[in-house]
Amino acid sequence: MADHTADPSAPQARRPGAPLAGAASGPGGGISRRRLLGTAGATGLVLGAAGGAVGHAAAPSPVTPLTSLGAEQVMFHGKHQPGITTPMQSRGHLVAFDLAPGAGRKEAAALLRRWSETARRLMAGEPAGQDDTGVARDAGPSSLTVTFGFGHSFFGRTGLEKRRPVALDPLPDFSSDQLDKARSNGDLWVQIGANDALVAFHALRVIQKDAGAAARVRWQMNGFNRSPGATAHPMTARNLMGQVDGTRNPKPDEPDFDRRIFVPESGEPDWMANGSYAVVRRIRMLLDDWERLSLPAQEAVIGRRKSDGAPLSGGDETTEMDLEKTDAEGNLVVPVDAHARITRPDQNGGAAMLRRPFSFHDGIDADGVPDAGLLFICWQADPLRGFVPVQRKLDRGDALSRFIRHEASGLFAVPGGAAEGEYVGQRLLEG
């Protein structure tokens, strides 16, 4: 993990204790007995399975306007694909597909056309189509984003080897890797994010069904973040170690942001203009080992205070870290192997990446150990100048490496956004 993360007004919902919309009120302002009985008669009574136990069916929930959380919409069409600079959502699904045997460029183009139309509809809060399951009915767009990318193997399967970017060459091996090949890479990659769990699941299910006979799921992972509005004021997210995680993430308003994160209009290959490269890593956190450390020991591993993310050299979260500051005994206040020191761009030749991760928890094993950690996703114009140099340095001496394990990995070329009437990847597949 590196020390970087991406940071309509609506009618108010019914206040607690207020009468239901449209309900006839009794003398005390509550629902009248006639109204209650009428509702029960319309919806029927609930009988216990053993017979005899009878309960009144509740009145239907009132139709309430969407809150700002559910009404928030991200546009599908644009210069860049959604889900890169979009604020982090509370729910995420990552899924990789391999093209089916016999499927090639033609089938891939038809699939991307279907997926793009599905993503456009769902992100607008519309049903996926006539056979929509209704799972997310009435939920609104909920900041849904669907992002598509191509893996290294995609180009060989579609006869497009000559159009494969050099930046998509396989990542080097790292000494800390314990990678499961079955949960790594893939021909196609889809990132789904939303601020509602049902909206996110619905999109995942529809994308899977849309694949039809053209592609099959290779692996799939689920993640989460803190829900928007859960804190009293906007703040950098925390990871499952309890650390503020993402303080030094590049910001879109910085003058060199686009140069670092997106392939330029004049870049190579031409079909990647305004696109980006996503490195995806499933990083298991060894939480039992981590939580045995004292608070000062945890802070020394990271190089920042756990309470507010401020550097150990002093100040607040955004204060520039003083790498030369020493204590009374002459020891560096920020240890030489502290994670925050090693990952700084100025310690890595300016290498920078936009981190936009999700936490994950996939259960507890027979020994009581949680399978939990970070679905690390980082974006950059060139992974050989972004992720790779930083990870190589982490590999050589990051104090955090004793408490994490890289278990899966993938690198994907994510083309620029689709214009109106186009689908994602059209310039590659039809160029």
Side-chain angles (χ1 to χ4, degrees), residues 213-263:
R216 57 193 178 195
V217 173
R218 178 180 177 88
W219 54 260
Q220 196 265 310
M221 301 174 188
N222 308 312
F224 59 89
N225 285 309
R226 174 175 284 156
S227 297
T231 55
H233 56 86
M235 62 178 293
T236 308
R238 290 186 185 272
N239 60 35
L240 298 189
M241 288 178 162
Q243 299 293 146
V244 174
D245 187 357
T247 300
R248 293 187 59 84
N249 227 18
K251 307 296 190 296
D253 58 356
E254 294 172 357
D256 60 349
F257 179 85
D258 280 4
R259 177 181 62 81
R260 292 181 172 196
I261 308 305
F262 295 109
V263 176

Side-chain angles (χ1 to χ4, degrees), residues 17 63 72 169 171 178 212 220 250 260 289 301 317 322 330 349 363 400:
V63 176
E72 191 71 28
D169 285 351
L171 296 173
Q178 297 183 37
Q220 196 265 310
R260 292 181 172 196
D289 294 340
V301 167
E317 183 187 350
D322 184 350
L400 185 60

Side-chain angles (χ1 to χ4, degrees), residues 133-389:
T133 61
V135 170
R137 183 177 295 146
D138 305 323
S142 297
S143 297
L144 174 68
T145 58
V146 187
T147 316
F148 304 103
F150 304 110
H152 184 276
S153 57
F154 176 83
F155 297 84
R157 293 180 183 272
T158 54
L160 293 166
E161 294 97 332
K162 292 183 179 180
R163 307 202 72 191
R164 182 169 56 216
V166 173
L168 202 58
D169 285 351
L171 296 173
D173 294 329
F174 301 104
S175 62
S176 59
D177 286 352
Q178 297 183 37
L179 304 181
D180 178 357
K181 292 183 178 180
R183 294 194 293 180
S184 298
N185 301 311
D187 295 344
L188 294 156
W189 175 68
V190 185
Q191 173 192 255
I192 295 167
N195 284 328
D196 181 87
L198 286 179
V199 170
F201 172 81
H202 181 235
L204 173 65
R205 181 67 177 132
V206 175
I207 289 293
Q208 178 198 358
K209 290 167 63 179
D210 269 358
R216 57 193 178 195
V217 173
R218 178 180 177 88
W219 54 260
Q220 196 265 310
M221 301 174 188
N222 308 312
F224 59 89
N225 285 309
R226 174 175 284 156
S227 297
T231 55
H233 56 86
M235 62 178 293
T236 308
R238 290 186 185 272
N239 60 35
L240 298 189
M241 288 178 162
Q243 299 293 146
V244 174
D245 187 357
T247 300
R248 293 187 59 84
N249 227 18
K251 307 296 190 296
D253 58 356
E254 294 172 357
D256 60 349
F257 179 85
D258 280 4
R259 177 181 62 81
R260 292 181 172 196
I261 308 305
F262 295 109
V263 176
E265 291 274 3
S266 58
E268 292 292 335
D270 59 350
W271 63 266
M272 274 295 291
N274 301 315
S276 188
Y277 292 90
V279 174
V280 182
R281 310 276 280 184
R282 185 184 195 271
I283 303 176
R284 175 88 168 261
M285 293 178 174
L286 309 181
L287 293 178
D288 284 350
D289 294 340
W290 174 255
E291 291 162 4
R292 290 189 191 102
L293 295 181
S294 66
L295 176 61
Q298 289 181 352
E299 292 180 335
V301 167
I302 302 300
R304 292 182 175 274
R305 292 200 302 257
K306 193 171 185 178
S307 60
D308 59 3
L312 296 184
S313 54
D316 58 26
E317 183 187 350
T318 59
T319 301
E320 191 69 19
M321 185 175 288
D322 184 350
L323 299 179
E324 305 303 322
K325 186 174 182 178
T326 58
D327 59 19
E329 285 73 42
N331 299 312
L332 288 169
V333 174
V334 180
V336 68
D337 60 352
H339 185 73
R341 173 191 285 269
I342 293 175
T343 58
R344 287 170 56 96
D346 58 8
Q347 301 294 301
N348 294 281
M353 49 192 163
L354 177 67
R355 292 180 67 259
R356 196 175 180 279
F358 292 96
S359 293
F360 74 87
H361 178 226
D362 290 338
I364 299 173
D365 68 19
D367 296 324
V369 178
D371 181 7
L374 196 71
L375 298 181
F376 174 91
I377 308 164
C378 71
W379 301 89
Q380 58 262 286
D382 184 350
L384 298 180
R385 297 181 180 180
F387 172 78
V388 171

